[in-house]
Amino acid sequence: MFSLSEHIPAARWCLALAVTAFTAVVSVHKYIDLADMAAFSSLEALFLIMTDTVNIVFIYLPLYLFTVCGIMFDSGFGGIEILRCGSRPRWLAGKLITYLINTLIFFAAVFLINYTVCSRAFNFSSLWSSGFIGVRVMLGHSAEDFFAPPLPTIIGASFSVLLLYVLCGMVNMLVSLVTDRESAALFFSLLVGISLGLANMAVTSNSSESQLLRCVLLAVSAVSVYVFCIAAANKKDFSGKKSA
């Protein structure tokens, strides 16, 4: 039976949460001076943090991959565990569930920690402020991107990032199967993630149509990589052990 408690690397998670909390505090302080001029709300500050390239691509993405890169190499990496599962696809599906659950928990932790810190520093408002929209327009963004209220806009922008992380997790899974090396899986998935993350964050439009297109492309890519993972698992010789 699948046990989530057996597939959560406690030490790595403790480090991830500590770094996330520190990054959230630093990020909020970065926007305090700017907020004095534009009177930002907590949701507006959260939007800035969750769409910031440095945070999403160069801090949280490596931290996420460091947290999950050992999943393929836990006690379930081998022929004995495949025999227990009944088949290679079922064994790999268990790994997929592990990646997805860890990804959701990681992203939820990032979102909640950042919102908690933002809510302590800024007042809450369910609407975009004119000062915030003015600043964004001055930076080259369209005012139409903020047609929807803050929370749906933040969730939409964050969901595309979540799918990016899922895609990176699938790349990590594939490289782990091919190379049997955790370091190689971490390196290649991070390289792919940074490249795609920069491309994703370079799209300045945050309209619903743009967000939907990015989500579809990332979801299709993640599914495609998982199909390659199934093919790799079916052909893999697990260290000479008897396989299903």
Side-chain angles (χ1 to χ4, degrees):
M1 182 178 294
F2 178 81
S3 176
L4 178 60
S5 61
E6 297 178 358
H7 300 277
I8 292 183
R12 299 192 187 198
W13 268 104
C14 290
L15 177 61
L17 294 176
V19 174
T20 299
F22 175 78
T23 304
V25 173
V26 173
S27 299
V28 166
H29 278 283
K30 182 173 67 175
Y31 293 116
I32 286 179
D33 293 337
L34 186 60
D36 289 339
M37 296 183 294
F40 291 169
S41 68
S42 58
L43 290 180
E44 290 168 341
L46 179 63
F47 174 84
L48 292 174
I49 292 173
M50 297 303 295
T51 57
D52 183 80
T53 302
V54 174
N55 288 339
I56 297 300
V57 178
F58 295 105
I59 298 179
Y60 293 135
L61 177 60
L63 191 62
Y64 159 73
L65 289 173
F66 169 76
T67 304
V68 303
C69 67
I71 289 176
M72 293 298 294
F73 301 96
D74 61 15
S75 59
F77 193 75
I80 296 179
E81 188 66 22
I82 292 176
L83 289 173
R84 291 174 180 173
C85 293
S87 68
R88 294 174 183 240
R90 290 184 62 182
W91 167 80
L92 193 64
K95 295 295 185 181
L96 172 64
I97 293 173
T98 304
Y99 271 97
L100 293 178
I101 291 177
N102 276 270
T103 305
L104 289 172
I105 294 175
F106 179 87
F107 210 78
V110 169
F111 194 92
L112 291 175
I113 289 174
N114 277 284
Y115 176 72
T116 300
V117 176
C118 288
S119 65
R120 297 293 300 270
F122 304 104
N123 294 324
F124 175 82
S125 176
S126 60
L127 300 174
W128 299 110
S129 66
S130 58
F132 175 82
I133 296 178
V135 170
R136 298 294 289 178
V137 171
M138 288 176 58
L139 294 175
H141 299 271
S142 174
E144 296 180 356
D145 293 346
F146 307 100
F147 177 78
L151 191 56
T153 303
I154 295 171
I155 292 176
S158 299
F159 190 68
S160 65
V161 178
L162 171 63
L163 290 177
L164 171 65
Y165 284 23
V166 171
L167 173 57
C168 292
M170 296 303 96
V171 173
N172 184 272
M173 177 189 291
L174 178 60
V175 179
S176 297
L177 285 168
V178 173
T179 66
D180 287 339
R181 295 177 59 189
E182 182 177 334
S183 58
L186 176 60
F187 174 78
F188 282 106
S189 58
L190 182 58
L191 183 63
V192 171
I194 290 177
S195 300
L196 294 178
L198 291 176
N200 182 49
M201 304 302 285
V203 180
T204 57
S205 176
N206 287 297
S207 64
S208 57
E209 294 81 6
S210 175
Q211 292 175 2
L212 178 61
L213 178 60
R214 280 181 282 183
C215 289
V216 170
L217 291 175
L218 290 169
V220 171
S221 299
V223 172
S224 300
V225 174
Y226 183 68
V227 171
F228 283 105
C229 289
I230 296 176
N234 286 332
K235 296 179 180 179
K236 184 175 179 60
D237 177 10
F238 288 90
S239 302
K241 296 179 180 181
K242 183 178 179 181
S243 58

